[in-house]
Amino acid sequence: MNEVLNSSAALDALARIVGPAHVLTDPALTAANLEEPRGLYFGKALAVVRPANTREVSGVAAFCSAARIALVPQGGNTGLVGGQTPDASGRQVVLSLQRLNRVREIDPLSETMILEAGVTLAAAQEAALSVDRLFPLSLAAEGSCTIGGNLSTNAGGLTVLAYGAARDLTTGIEVVLADGRIVSALSKLRKDNTGYDLKSLFIGAEGTLGVITAAALKLFPRPRSRATAFAGLADPDKALALLQLARERFGQGVVSFELIPHIGLEFVFAYRPALRNPLSGRHAWCALIEIASQIEGGLDDAMIDLLGAALERGIVEDASLAASLDQREAFWAIRETLPEAQKPQGGSIKHDVSVPVSAVPAFLREATAAVEAFMPGARPVPFGHLGDGNIHFNVSQPIGADTEAYLGQWEAMNAVVHEIVARYGGSISAEHGIGVMKRKLLPQVKDPVAIEVMRALKRTLDPNGILNPGKVL
Amino acid sequence: MNEVLNSSAALDALARIVGPAHVLTDPALTAANLEEPRGLYFGKALAVVRPANTREVSGVAAFCSAARIALVPQGGNTGLVGGQTPDASGRQVVLSLQRLNRVREIDPLSETMILEAGVTLAAAQEAALSVDRLFPLSLAAEGSCTIGGNLSTNAGGLTVLAYGAARDLTTGIEVVLADGRIVSALSKLRKDNTGYDLKSLFIGAEGTLGVITAAALKLFPRPRSRATAFAGLADPDKALALLQLARERFGQGVVSFELIPHIGLEFVFAYRPALRNPLSGRHAWCALIEIASQIEGGLDDAMIDLLGAALERGIVEDASLAASLDQREAFWAIRETLPEAQKPQGGSIKHDVSVPVSAVPAFLREATAAVEAFMPGARPVPFGHLGDGNIHFNVSQPIGADTEAYLGQWEAMNAVVHEIVARYGGSISAEHGIGVMKRKLLPQVKDPVAIEVMRALKRTLDPNGILNPGKVL
């Protein structure tokens, strides 16, 4: 089987493994898998194959490995860096994990659940709530993204500060290797020191080392109360001081700490006039803070105390506490509308970066100045998860500029920003991964020996190069 | 250089790298490095080499790789499974990391610190406290064990429930590879999705994949208050119910939840009569619970409420709150004396196991019955970290039995207990690692494909097999 099979023989073989109904080649049926929703990345495929279970995934991998057919694992197809999209050759097979969507087990006493890769994040959250537990991972695409995709990209989102990213939330995985062998490591254990941490290697590897088919995930006690506030601040240094004050008072109870610049609010209120600014005055920056507690009452008072102390010390200029669930949702709607609200403002060049938390203010100052020097009139809209040092340093085009010409500067502007990120020991992909989009950038920012080790691991685990080739490395 | 050098040429070469004063061959100087403190594991060595910095470690590795001389990395020499001890050949080099003991950086705002491998855990805790932060890792050997050893064994200890084990507490590492190349990945970032998670691969690998020379570690806000209680319970099911109640009320504020059987208390009070039982009655089991909070006061009241509710629901039979710091220490002294208190009771066959938290009561029932059936009169003393499902299932010899004959049953009794552990999806080494001690057991309990992957990774990263050979795999 070492020679390349002809297409129809390959399709027949795949159909024998997953059933003919699950080898899709009709463009009407495959279109949604071949292009990601924004239309930035698209490709062709020999077929979209939809196995029903781990055994079938194993069969597909074993066949494709022998036949040297590349596999592109895909979950909810919501990734932002092209990691889940086949190339233009039409010779790759998209391996959709969406039919592996069983909740295999929920164990509230052990605070774990075992889910298959195709379970959506929203369904995972629901499964946890059904036993009065919290699965804390939360991000914009949660309605359609899947656990397999979340793990393959080590998804972060809004609660990393308190609970960690996908890798931190996983105790075990089941993985199909390139040649079809199955690693059964669905451990529910909190402590296990029997050998190398294989789990962490496959998580965040974007499907290039193996195909994650199921995971044992951590649950947490469901918080009994939340308090949410919006604060106006003079600058990111003050935001950092507020974060520190909140961490001192609430520790891991600080669930989210989001930073929003004034221009971000302007964009949001222009795009969604129904949304209201929680603060009356004009503030250069705002912070959206959420704290959570296992105790039923008293959290609003604790938040008011925090904001009072911050006002007194000159850290915040003004603040507003969400007085109802509706108000809480309205605060969050501002934050969640931000990415979309940039669209009517023309082209936006994105940077999903992180720096050490203490370096965020200096990074923001330098990057803003550098971008404005690089292109006068360009409008930085840096927002994001200050608590994790993860800033979405998006830059909207100058007013009236030609969008296409502006977007033509994408790489050049990236270079300006990433140089500063690198100087602060930061990351050019804090949460979205590398995929196709940032593959060429990796050697510029990553330790060369680390890249050599990554390549060696790739060769070891995928010697025929069939797992998501052209991604990451 | 591919042929084996003669010893004196090798020693000369090593002396050129680290200086003659740091290539120890005098038995008076090397004895402490060649045997672990309990005397269970000991060996010989060509030399004990003490590099001063990462560059020297790199030089030693490059030389030894070319000369095919095995390296045995060593920190504080406190490991319990022989992972840090050279074999009997006298041809291995012990690579002591103790001179790499600089605190390179502390960044309280980012809640990180960068330490070299030879910094002791106690010094790491002190460094954190010096900036009003907590480094939560805590275990019996903290005065002498080192960060390098802690990471290489993914140390757990008393606070895993709230803060995780060593791997969870690390954001980046610096590693010297087998051939001397240095992976510089001392990231302080909370979010970074640029490629494979190399850090997690080297952490817990017991020095078989690389030599960790420095680490970027997570800090936490220092808790402002703690409450500690001792509760008497009828059985482990009740302990689990109390744990669940505590998690519901305090979430990640539950820092420790330790389980102790009545026989453990008997051993402790016989060994240290000065220690007092916090509870007057006789209870089949006790739990030592500690909660922590960022808020100054009120935690004792919250603990009393918890214990009151547990009494009311029939979960606990009696409980005592530590009313002072002295009392808190006295409670902890009982738990910490337990391992030592088994010594006067004769031979003790140990099992450092974990099972899913929900399975602990059933595991304890079955393992106790199986051990008693295997050897009538044997006295199980299972204690440990119920919150993580990690039980030190130690079994003291029958009263009056011959100790040597008893210890001769070590492997047979292990087999009895480990069979039950495996049935519950547990681990035969929850926190101590594999080392030499459990190497032969690994294939019996680990997924065979996982072991194949481990072997492949070992061959990739250490093709000449010079890194801690004979350990783990």
Side-chain angles (χ1 to χ4, degrees), chain A residues 35-46:
Chain A
E35 178 168 348
E36 47 95 57
R38 298 167 309 170
L40 280 182
Y41 297 98
F42 46 89
K44 294 177 190 166
L46 182 61

Side-chain angles (χ1 to χ4, degrees), chain A residues 157-177:
Chain A
L158 297 167
T159 63
V160 173
L161 180 55
Y163 297 102
R167 189 180 287 120
D168 305 305
L169 296 172
T170 307
T171 60
I173 55 171
E174 178 186 84
V175 187
V176 171
L177 299 177

Side-chain angles (χ1 to χ4, degrees), chain A residues 335-359:
Chain A
R335 167 64 184 82
E336 283 159 6
T337 302
L338 242 175
E340 233 175 309
Q342 292 166 76
K343 286 184 193 164
Q345 304 288 338
S348 171
I349 297 177
K350 319 271 188 196
H351 308 82
D352 167 35
V353 303
S354 63
V355 293
V357 174
S358 63

Side-chain angles (χ1 to χ4, degrees), chain A residues 216-365:
Chain A
L217 302 170
K218 290 184 192 171
L219 300 176
F220 292 82
R222 186 176 58 77
R224 269 24 183 184
S225 57
R226 287 179 187 276
T228 311
F230 216 85
L233 307 132
D235 56 47
D237 287 292
K238 293 286 200 292
L240 196 54
L242 181 59
L243 170 65
Q244 192 180 7
L245 205 59
R247 287 279 292 173
E248 271 169 21
R249 291 181 175 221
F250 306 109
Q252 305 198 73
V254 183
V255 173
S256 297
F257 197 107
E258 301 286 310
L259 187 65
I260 306 170
H262 181 69
I263 190 175
L265 293 188
E266 286 180 344
F267 284 12
V268 166
F269 301 131
Y271 178 69
R272 283 260 167 89
L275 290 175
R276 301 278 301 276
N277 191 337
L279 304 174
S280 50
R282 184 192 193 286
H283 308 281
W285 295 84
C286 290
L288 174 59
I289 318 162
E290 187 157 292
I291 58 178
S293 163
Q294 298 308 117
I295 296 163
E296 294 276 354
L299 205 56
D300 279 355
D301 289 343
M303 179 70 101
I304 288 168
D305 280 355
L306 168 75
L307 296 170
L311 268 167
E312 209 169 275
R313 296 182 203 185
I315 294 172
V316 307
E317 298 169 340
D318 192 10
S320 173
L321 178 76
S324 65
L325 274 181
D326 280 354
Q327 235 179 350
R328 177 185 172 235
E329 275 174 34
F331 285 15
W332 273 108
I334 294 168
R335 167 64 184 82
E336 283 159 6
T337 302
L338 242 175
E340 233 175 309
Q342 292 166 76
K343 286 184 193 164
Q345 304 288 338
S348 171
I349 297 177
K350 319 271 188 196
H351 308 82
D352 167 35
V353 303
S354 63
V355 293
V357 174
S358 63
V360 170
F363 163 72
L364 286 173
R365 273 191 300 274

Side-chain angles (χ1 to χ4, degrees), chain B residues 9 18 20 34 135 159 241 257 285 298 392 414 437:
Chain B
V18 301
L34 303 182
F135 181 62
T159 63
F257 196 107
W285 295 84
H392 298 291
N414 278 183
M437 189 188 221

Side-chain angles (χ1 to χ4, degrees), chain A residues 111 181 194 446 452 460, chain B residues 181 194 247 446 452 460:
Chain A
E111 298 185 353
R181 280 178 299 163
T194 54
K446 193 99 182 166
E452 288 167 23
T460 300
Chain B
R181 281 177 298 163
T194 54
R247 287 280 291 173
K446 193 102 180 162
E452 288 168 23
T460 300

Side-chain angles (χ1 to χ4, degrees), chain B residues 135-148:
Chain B
F135 181 62
L137 194 65
S138 174
L139 45 93
E142 62 197 25
S144 46
C145 67
T146 62
I147 290 298

